Amino acid sequence: MARQPKPAITSSAVHDLIRHRWSPRAFAPTPVSASDLASVFEAARWAASSNNGQPWRFIVATSADTAAHDAAADCFNPRNQRWARPAPVLIFALTRKLADNGSANMHHWYDTGAAVAQLSLQAEALGLVVHQAAGIDRDRVRATYGVPDDVDVVIGFALGHPGDPEALPEELPGREKEPRGRKPLGDIVFAGKFGETAPFAK
Ligand SMILES: Cc1cc2nc3c(=O)[nH]c(=O)nc-3n(C[C@H](O)[C@H](O)[C@H](O)COP(=O)(O)O)c2cc1C
């Protein structure tokens, strides 16, 4: 099924991958191929990171293994489970707090976010969709997968082919049609002093 288009209304031209990516909650049950799975993680793998530390780690559960998929879905908050459980692929992004030499890495969350962003754009390029959720039970993720203490649980996300929004429960079909929005460029890009809009962003 084709995904509902919700292109970003941009003030300047951006790449189509950026313009068209959004976070739907409707997923088709169609499995994601092994080659597409490998491709999205390859994109994450090549993200930039502080000192090339690559702190990101991922745990994946697919609907090919019902018990594993159920266990992953159980880690999402109940409201997020409404859309995450039907998705064929559920993923948790984790991040190592320490660099390989044992020193603290203050950039590890930043780096792992960048890796997930890169994964999301690769998914978009493959015609797949991603929906991230901070609304997960991190203690449950930790217990389910034996996550060590020096690793943080960052986020869960669903990956799959676009599905039918009308099949979603409760208010969710309507939310799929809500317009997307962002703060104006002038509110986020400064020059000279914090809060002073950069000339090109006016
Ligand atoms: C760190 C992070 C946490 C999020 N947590 C949730 C969540 O718990 N539940 C949810 O439905 N969406 C969640 N989202 C999705 C955002 O609501 C969504 O990305 C945002 O509204 C922008 O919409 P867009 O991705 O369609 O452009 C999260 C996204 C990010 C990046």
Side-chain angles (χ1 to χ4, degrees):
M1 151 159 246
R3 179 190 38 178
Q4 172 150 347
K6 290 216 277 187
I9 311 297
T10 60
S11 49
S12 297
V14 297
H15 196 285
D16 270 353
L17 290 177
I18 294 166
R19 200 153 69 89
H20 289 295
R21 182 217 61 83
W22 66 282
S23 305
R25 296 175 180 81
F27 290 88
T30 321
V32 175
S33 70
S35 65
D36 280 359
L37 274 178
S39 172
V40 298
F41 287 110
E42 190 66 20
R45 178 178 169 234
W46 283 98
S49 61
S50 172
N51 215 18
N52 200 18
Q54 306 160 63
W56 45 76
R57 299 290 184 272
F58 299 97
I59 294 173
V60 188
T62 74
S63 51
D65 180 338
T66 310
H69 186 271
D70 277 349
D74 290 344
C75 292
F76 286 73
N77 287 356
R79 286 180 68 76
N80 286 328
Q81 284 185 30
R82 296 179 300 165
W83 52 263
R85 192 175 288 282
V89 184
L90 298 175
I91 300 167
F92 298 101
L94 318 167
T95 184
R96 290 192 65 221
K97 297 192 249 188
L98 302 179
D100 288 344
N101 67 7
S103 65
N105 175 6
M106 70 173 284
H107 306 292
H108 67 104
W109 271 66
Y110 181 96
D111 291 346
T112 297
V116 175
Q118 226 162 270
L119 180 155
S120 300
L121 289 175
Q122 183 64 27
E124 176 71 29
L126 295 168
L128 300 167
V129 291
V130 166
H131 197 122
Q132 302 180 59
I136 54 173
D137 182 340
R138 289 185 173 71
D139 292 339
R140 189 169 187 138
V141 173
R142 204 167 269 292
T144 302
Y145 300 106
V147 177
D149 288 344
D150 61 351
V151 171
D152 279 348
V153 178
V154 178
I155 202 154
F157 54 100
L159 170 76
H161 296 273
D164 178 5
E166 297 308 322
L168 287 164
E170 299 159 22
E171 84 289 2
L172 294 181
R175 293 191 63 187
E176 296 292 272
K177 295 180 194 123
E178 284 172 358
R180 302 176 57 222
R182 291 296 188 268
K183 295 178 174 35
L185 202 59
D187 287 8
I188 61 167
V189 187
F190 310 139
K193 283 219 163 27
F194 186 90
E196 287 181 6
T197 297
F200 64 85
K202 283 182 177 148

